[in-house]
Amino acid sequence: SLNRARPTNGSDRGSLRDHDLTLCVRNDVLAPCRQKLDEARLSRYSKGTNVLMLTHNLGGGTERFVKEEIIRQEKRGAGVFLIRPFLENSFVISTPAIKSLTNIPPFELTDTARIISAVKELKVTEIQFHHMAGMNLGVVDLVRTLVGNCGISLKIYVHDYLSICPRVNLVDGSGRYCGEPSTKQCNHCLETNSSGFGKVDIVAWRQQFQALFSVASEIVVPDTDVSARIKKYSDNGHINVVPHEAPLDFALHKVKRGSPGDSELRIVVIGAISQIKGLDVLLACAEDARRRQLPLVFTVLGYTSNDVKAKDAGIQVTGRYSETDGLTMLAALQPHAVFLPSIWPETYCYTLSLALEARLPVFAFNLGAIASRLRALGLDQNLTSIENASNISALNDWLIAKCRASAD
C-alpha cells in the first residue's frame, strides 16, 4: 500500500514493517473499529425501558440522589444511561455497568443528528433532567428537541434553583440569600457577580426553562418550600413533591449527647461547608465565642472550603466521612446539638436527615427546605431569623440558650 519496491533483505523488511506500524499508530486507522466496538458494548445494556439521566460531575447531594435513582431504575429492570459534561459544548454518554468507553468521541451539543441517532440506538424511553452544570444553555434546547423528535418522555428533578437563576443557589455577591428581587436587580447582580454561564439576561433565562418545563411529563421537587418557590416563576402544573428519602424511623437510633448542664457546649456542623453552607457564619461564631469566652465548641463533621482558616478560628474538623460511617462518627462527638448554618434556601439537605436520625436537637435559619422540614416536625422553636447570620453575638447567645433548654 505504500507503493514501495519489495525489500531485498530481512533488514529492509523489518524497517518497512516498523514504518507501517508508525503510520498506523499516527493515523489511528483502527479508531472507527474501536468506536463501533464500544458503541456495541453500550447498546448491549439497552432494555425494554431505558432511562437517560442528564447530570453534572460535581458530586454532592445531586450525585447521591442520582446514584440512588440508578439503583431504583435497575431494580425495576430498566436500562440506565448517563449524560455528563465533557467540555462546555460537549458531553459523553455512558452506563454505570461499563467502567470506560473511551473510544466513543464526545457528542457536540450542536451535532443533533448524531445525538438523535445514539438515543434511538439505545431505545431511550425517558430522559431525566437532573443538572446541566458544566454545559451551556444549548443542552436545554437539545433536550426539548429529543422530546419532540424521538417520542421520549421528560422528567425534571429540581435539585437547586438553576431554572430561576444561573447563579444556582439564589445568593447575591456576598454569598447570602438574595431575597429574589426584581428582574432589574437580578440582571444587575448577574452583570456585577456573573455566573458560570456567561452573559445572561434573567428574563430570557427563565423563559428557556419555562419552555423546558412545558414539555415535561413531570417535575419532581423534594420539598413543599421548593414547590412554592418554583411556582412563582413557572405556570407549569406538573410539579410533584417527592422527598428524597422515606420518613425516618426515629426509634432506630439515638446517639448519646452532652448534658445541658455541661460547662462546654459541643455544637456539630455536618457536611461540606462552603460559603453558601454558612462557612463565614461559622467562622464568625467561633471567633465571637473565643473573644467573649463563651462555652461553645464548634466541630465540623466533614470538611470546609477552607480548613486552615476554620482550624485557626478554633473549629475542629474531622475530614470527609462516608455515608455509612456518619452516624457512628456523630455519636463519637457526643454533641449537645447540630447547627446547620446554610444561608441559601436549601432544597432538601441530607445532613439534616443524619441529625434527625440521631435524634439530636437541630438548629438552623428559618429559610428553605431545612426550615420547612423542621416546621413539619413541630420544631419551629429551633429556627432563628436569617437576619441573625449578620448578628453573630445574638446568634451565639441563642445557640447557648437553646442548648441549655434542651432536655437529654
Side-chain angles (χ1 to χ4, degrees), residues 317-331:
V317 181
T318 68
R320 295 174 184 267
Y321 66 92
S322 68
E323 294 168 18
T324 55
D325 294 336
L327 200 63
T328 301
M329 292 182 67
L330 184 57

Side-chain angles (χ1 to χ4, degrees), residues 44-292:
R44 286 180 59 199
Y45 290 90
S46 176
K47 300 183 180 180
T49 299
N50 298 286
V51 179
L52 180 61
M53 302 181 185
L54 190 155
T55 188
H56 58 45
N57 293 316
L58 302 177
T62 300
E63 182 67 15
R64 175 174 172 175
F65 180 85
V66 167
K67 287 180 177 178
E68 292 170 350
E69 177 65 7
I70 289 171
I71 293 171
R72 285 189 288 268
Q73 293 296 336
E74 289 178 338
K75 282 184 176 178
R76 76 182 187 95
V80 177
F81 301 96
L82 296 167
I83 285 180
R84 291 189 188 270
F86 180 74
L87 295 173
E88 181 185 359
N89 298 312
S90 63
F91 61 84
V92 294
I93 297 179
S94 64
T95 177
I98 301 178
K99 185 176 182 180
S100 176
L101 290 164
T102 55
N103 296 302
I104 301 178
F107 292 79
E108 299 293 325
L109 283 175
T110 54
D111 195 350
T112 308
R114 182 183 171 218
I115 296 167
I116 289 176
S117 176
V119 166
K120 288 182 176 178
E121 178 68 25
L122 297 175
K123 300 181 177 64
V124 172
T125 53
E126 176 183 286
I127 295 178
Q128 290 188 3
F129 190 109
H130 290 276
H131 218 288
M132 54 171 274
M135 291 181 274
N136 63 39
L137 201 56
V139 76
V140 174
D141 289 331
L142 173 63
V143 170
R144 290 173 57 203
T145 298
L146 292 177
V147 171
N149 290 11
C150 302
I152 300 171
S153 67
L154 171 64
K155 182 181 286 189
I156 298 174
Y157 285 90
V158 175
H159 297 283
D160 52 36
Y161 293 106
L162 179 71
S163 63
I164 295 174
C165 173
R167 287 177 59 79
V168 178
N169 303 112
L170 300 183
V171 294
D172 58 20
S174 70
R176 297 192 178 182
Y177 175 52
C178 64
E180 300 173 57
S182 68
T183 55
K184 181 179 179 180
Q185 290 172 292
C186 286
N187 277 326
H188 177 72
C189 174
L190 289 172
E191 288 179 12
T192 304
N193 304 307
S194 188
S195 73
F197 297 92
K199 189 174 182 180
V200 172
D201 174 76
I202 196 65
V203 174
W205 179 273
R206 290 170 181 167
Q207 287 174 343
Q208 282 278 74
F209 277 93
Q210 175 61 34
L212 181 68
F213 281 19
S214 69
V215 299
S217 58
E218 185 179 10
I219 300 166
V220 181
V221 301
D223 189 83
T224 54
D225 182 83
V226 187
S227 177
R229 215 173 290 273
I230 290 290
K231 284 180 178 178
K232 290 190 292 184
Y233 303 89
S234 172
D235 56 10
N236 190 287
H238 306 298
I239 298 178
N240 295 323
V241 178
V242 182
H244 287 342
E245 303 163 291
L248 293 170
D249 185 346
F250 291 106
L252 284 178
H253 299 286
K254 182 179 180 181
V255 306
K256 182 178 180 181
R257 65 184 182 89
S259 168
D262 290 345
S263 60
E264 181 180 89
L265 299 175
R266 294 180 293 279
I267 307 292
V268 173
V269 178
I270 308 173
I273 310 305
S274 60
Q275 186 183 32
I276 62 170
K277 292 283 188 176
L279 178 59
D280 290 343
V281 173
L282 179 58
L283 290 170
C285 283
E287 289 161 357
D288 176 66
R290 183 159 57 185
R291 182 175 59 254
R292 291 200 286 151

Side-chain angles (χ1 to χ4, degrees), residues 28-39:
D28 200 6
V29 296
L30 294 179
C33 301
R34 294 198 308 274
Q35 178 177 338
K36 288 184 180 297
L37 284 171
D38 267 2
E39 288 172 346

Side-chain angles (χ1 to χ4, degrees), residues 359-376:
R359 295 180 65 192
L360 287 165
V362 185
F363 305 128
F365 295 117
N366 191 9
L367 181 68
I370 292 177
S372 173
R373 293 174 65 192
L374 289 175
R375 284 195 299 269

